[in-house]
Amino acid sequence: VVRNKIHDNPQYGIRAESSPEIARNLIYDNQYGIFLDATSADTVSPTIKNNVIYETASSTIAMFYGIFSRSNNESVVSPKIYHNTINGTLDGIAMEKDTASSSAPIIKYNIISEFDQYGINNSGASPTIDYNDVWSNSSSAADNYNGCTAGANDISLDPKYAGYSLQSDSPCINTIPSGAGDPVTLDYPGYIRPRPGKTTKDMGAYEYVADETVNYTLPGGTGI
């Protein structure tokens, strides 16, 4: 499920009951940006990477979840959630697990910001969390995480993006070292990770791409 624009659905942007790759999508103004639903003995463990998931100011959705996973009965839900930029209301990433199921999402390299309730909200799952920017969710820093704790290399700083792409002073730039095990080699628009000449990668769906000015003299003298 790659490179789609998915918006203005009253319930799900993407609802997965299997394990596809969900990558480089623009997903906005749906009640659930991405909804993972496992019942019975299903395995729902997709790779979710480089998606931009958000809610606009004009949205009529009352409750907005960026990514929501639910495991029931004897199901297994262990998605890899890498390099997404998620912004909206209610919860950025939410997980629910009943006693008989297994749920161990890997949540790394994401930017999750400005939700009204929690950045990452966990009920019963066993997530692995690291190298995320989880910032300004609800009214206090304590509401960035619920039912889980920040990863050792998580930060909580204004990502300083414009249109969700990173600006030159963003604290999310150069935050993921080469030894972090990050397997993602492209960003949302398709630029390579890391950028040429770098060994570190950036958090979120976008690698920072600096503007470049090249002075060039036309051959043969003056001209247009």
Side-chain angles (χ1 to χ4, degrees), residues 100-216:
S101 63
S102 174
S103 181
I106 301 174
I107 302 170
K108 293 184 176 182
Y109 324 123
N110 305 281
I111 298 174
I112 305 166
S113 63
E114 299 180 281
F115 282 85
D116 292 344
Q117 184 166 263
Y118 301 112
I120 301 177
N121 187 6
N122 177 41
S123 178
S126 300
T128 298
I129 300 171
D130 210 2
Y131 290 104
N132 304 284
D133 184 7
V134 187
W135 176 75
S136 190
N137 296 286
S138 192
S139 58
S140 71
D143 292 327
N144 284 326
Y145 305 86
N146 182 57
C148 56
T149 57
N153 298 288
D154 277 16
I155 62 174
S156 184
L157 298 169
D158 183 349
K160 295 185 179 179
Y161 46 47
Y164 300 113
S165 63
L166 301 177
Q167 303 302 289
S168 61
D169 58 346
S170 172
C172 299
I173 296 172
N174 296 331
T175 50
I176 304 165
S178 58
D182 181 356
V184 181
T185 57
L186 292 177
D187 72 352
Y188 167 68
Y191 292 108
I192 62 171
R193 294 184 190 269
R195 299 294 297 141
K198 290 176 54 178
T199 59
T200 56
K201 299 180 183 180
D202 306 336
M203 292 175 175
Y206 290 87
E207 284 287 293
Y208 172 65
V209 179
D211 292 334
E212 295 184 9
T213 300
V214 178
N215 294 319
Y216 182 72

Side-chain angles (χ1 to χ4, degrees), residues 47-121:
T47 296
I48 302 171
K49 63 182 182 181
N50 287 329
N51 299 283
V52 180
I53 306 171
Y54 64 96
E55 185 176 19
T56 67
S58 60
S59 172
T60 59
I61 301 295
M63 296 186 297
F64 177 90
Y65 298 90
I67 299 172
F68 189 102
S69 71
R70 180 173 65 187
S71 57
N72 295 310
N73 300 320
E74 297 178 358
S75 62
V76 176
V77 179
S78 297
K80 296 178 178 68
I81 303 173
Y82 296 155
H83 281 291
N84 302 281
T85 296
I86 310 173
N87 176 273
T89 60
L90 207 60
D91 292 337
I93 297 176
M95 299 159 278
E96 291 184 357
K97 171 194 170 298
D98 73 8
T99 54
S101 63
S102 174
S103 181
I106 301 174
I107 302 170
K108 293 184 176 182
Y109 324 123
N110 305 281
I111 298 174
I112 305 166
S113 63
E114 299 180 281
F115 282 85
D116 292 344
Q117 184 166 263
Y118 301 112
I120 301 177
N121 187 6

